[in-house]
Amino acid sequence: MKDHLLSQEEIAFLLENAASGVLGTLDADGYPYCVPVHFVYLNNKICIHGLSAGEKIGNILRNQRAGFTVYRMNGLLYSDDAKSPCSVNTDYQSVVVKGTAVLVEEIQRKRDVLQAIVEKYTPDLAALSIPENAVMQTSVIEITPQICTGKYYQ
C-alpha cells in the first residue's frame, strides 16, 4: 500500500475541522521553529492568534516564509496475527502548507478572525463580545498558502 493524495475538497475539510496545527517559521540562525497552535481556516487562509511578542512573531517579521501542517491519526492498521512490527501502518490524513505569513494589522479583520476562533473552540461563548483591549493586544497571523498538499493512508 502507499499514501494517496487528498482532493482539494478533502484538504479544505481537514483544514476547517482539525483541532490544532503546527506552525513552522525560521529563526534568526535559519533553524526551524515549530509550535502547536489553534487556528481557523478562513477564505483559503490559515489564521492563528497569539501573544504580540515572542519567537514566532519575531521570526515572521524577519522572514515571511512559513510552513503549517495538520494531521489526524484515525488508528493503527495491523492484524492480530501480525508477524512483525514492520507490518503495522497508520490510518491518517495530513495537510502540509508552504506559504507566506503576515501579521494582520487591520482591526476589523483581527476582530473577525478572533471571533471565528471563539466560534470554533468555545462556541458557547460566541455571543459574548471580545473586549477591545484583547483585540489590540492579540496578534493575528495570516498564512497565504503557496503550496498545499494533502495525503492519506487507509
Side-chain angles (χ1 to χ4, degrees):
M1 301 289 284
K2 65 176 188 163
D3 294 323
H4 302 281
L5 296 179
L6 293 174
S7 69
Q8 291 303 309
E9 293 79 19
E10 291 168 319
I11 288 172
F13 182 84
L14 189 54
L15 286 170
E16 289 165 358
N17 292 284
S20 62
V22 177
L23 170 66
T25 59
L26 296 173
D27 73 10
D29 296 322
Y31 286 99
Y33 175 73
C34 301
V35 61
V37 294
H38 290 127
F39 74 100
V40 291
Y41 186 59
L42 295 173
N43 303 317
N44 299 316
K45 295 180 189 250
I46 297 155
C47 300
I48 301 161
H49 77 296
L51 297 175
S52 293
E55 190 164 357
K56 69 179 174 266
I57 300 299
N59 291 347
I60 289 168
L61 291 173
R62 191 174 33 264
N63 184 336
Q64 292 184 333
R65 287 184 290 177
F68 186 79
T69 190
V70 295
Y71 178 88
R72 180 172 46 216
M73 179 176 154
N74 300 315
L76 296 174
L77 301 170
Y78 65 99
S79 65
D80 290 337
D81 62 346
K83 305 273 190 267
S84 163
C86 298
S87 63
V88 177
N89 215 317
T90 305
D91 177 352
Y92 78 93
Q93 294 175 310
S94 67
V95 173
V96 175
V97 173
K98 295 177 185 178
T100 54
V102 296
L103 297 178
V104 174
E105 300 295 337
E106 200 268 309
I107 298 302
Q108 187 57 52
R109 175 72 177 148
K110 281 178 72 170
R111 208 178 274 116
D112 292 344
V113 169
L114 294 173
Q115 183 63 38
I117 289 170
V118 169
E119 290 170 5
K120 178 177 179 178
Y121 291 100
T122 54
D124 53 319
L125 302 177
L128 301 174
S129 63
I130 300 171
E132 193 64 24
N133 64 335
V135 175
M136 300 304 287
Q137 294 174 3
T138 303
S139 286
V140 171
I141 299 165
E142 185 176 81
I143 301 172
T144 302
Q146 306 298 317
I147 299 169
C148 186
T149 58
K151 292 184 180 180
Y152 73 94
Y153 187 95
Q154 294 180 307

